[in-house]
Amino acid sequence: KSAIALPGVREPPAAPFGSRPCAPMAGAASIKMMITNLTEKALVSPDLSNARRRSLSLFRDTVRHVPWVKQTYQVKYSEKAMTKVVAALFRERAHMENVHEIDRAIKKGRMDLEEVLHVWQGDMHVNAFFDKYLEVKPMAKLQAGSFLDKFYSNVD
């Protein structure tokens, strides 16, 4: 509490127990990143080489913020695994040749990065994203006399 109480001025209420304090945007370069996101979302690539440069820039920015995202959102996976997921998602779209589709993907990627860096997404959103790609789910085994076995064999 403040040492001097001013009349008519109340202190803000304390955060509820267990809530995460408001985290600042990622690192000291937050203003630079904000400007980069704004300018990159507004740009239109004139050719494929420019679109490639912009997509590599988005990849670098995303990978650069993986440690901050892991700490802020308390992701249970290692930074190396998170980086592999990001790299795999970029490689999935490496075949794209249409400049307009690439620009649209870059804009969406920039918006997603901005939402994560401003802590507009919740812990569950970010964790569910990585769970989708990293969680190994056991396959349910059919029992020998199950309904499906009988159905496939055409037996009552």
Side-chain angles (χ1 to χ4, degrees):
K1 294 201 174 196
S2 62
I4 302 172
L6 300 174
V9 177
R10 293 186 300 170
E11 290 191 23
F17 179 73
S19 68
R20 181 178 62 187
C22 290
M25 202 173 111
S30 60
I31 300 297
K32 181 180 181 277
M33 189 69 221
M34 186 173 61
I35 292 170
T36 302
N37 270 337
L38 286 173
T39 56
E40 286 288 324
K41 284 189 298 188
L43 291 178
V44 176
S45 301
D47 56 3
L48 197 58
S49 65
N50 192 315
R52 181 180 184 279
R53 181 193 59 77
R54 291 180 58 219
S55 65
L56 286 174
S57 172
L58 174 61
F59 174 74
R60 284 188 205 107
D61 289 341
T62 306
V63 169
R64 188 176 298 131
H65 289 97
V66 163
W68 184 87
V69 169
K70 178 178 173 42
Q71 179 185 358
T72 303
Y73 289 97
Q74 301 163 354
V75 180
K76 63 184 174 185
Y77 303 107
S78 68
E79 292 175 15
K80 186 175 183 180
M82 292 168 65
T83 303
K84 283 184 180 180
V85 167
V86 171
L89 291 173
F90 273 85
R91 279 192 206 104
E92 280 180 10
R93 299 191 175 235
H95 69 280
M96 294 173 69
E97 297 288 330
N98 187 345
V99 177
H100 298 294
E101 289 178 11
I102 295 171
D103 281 345
R104 188 174 13 177
I106 290 170
K107 288 176 185 175
K108 183 173 184 336
R110 286 281 172 193
M111 285 189 278
D112 289 343
L113 181 61
E114 184 178 19
E115 289 174 6
V116 168
L117 295 180
H118 281 94
V119 195
W120 292 340
Q121 288 190 358
D123 290 348
M124 293 304 295
H125 294 103
V126 176
N127 282 305
F129 173 79
F130 286 107
D131 284 345
K132 182 169 52 172
Y133 295 102
L134 294 173
E135 194 78 12
V136 178
K137 297 183 175 101
M139 295 291 291
K141 294 183 180 179
L142 292 176
Q143 296 176 0
S146 71
F147 169 77
L148 289 176
D149 286 337
K150 291 177 184 177
F151 178 78
Y152 291 139
S153 64
N154 201 12
V155 177
D156 283 335

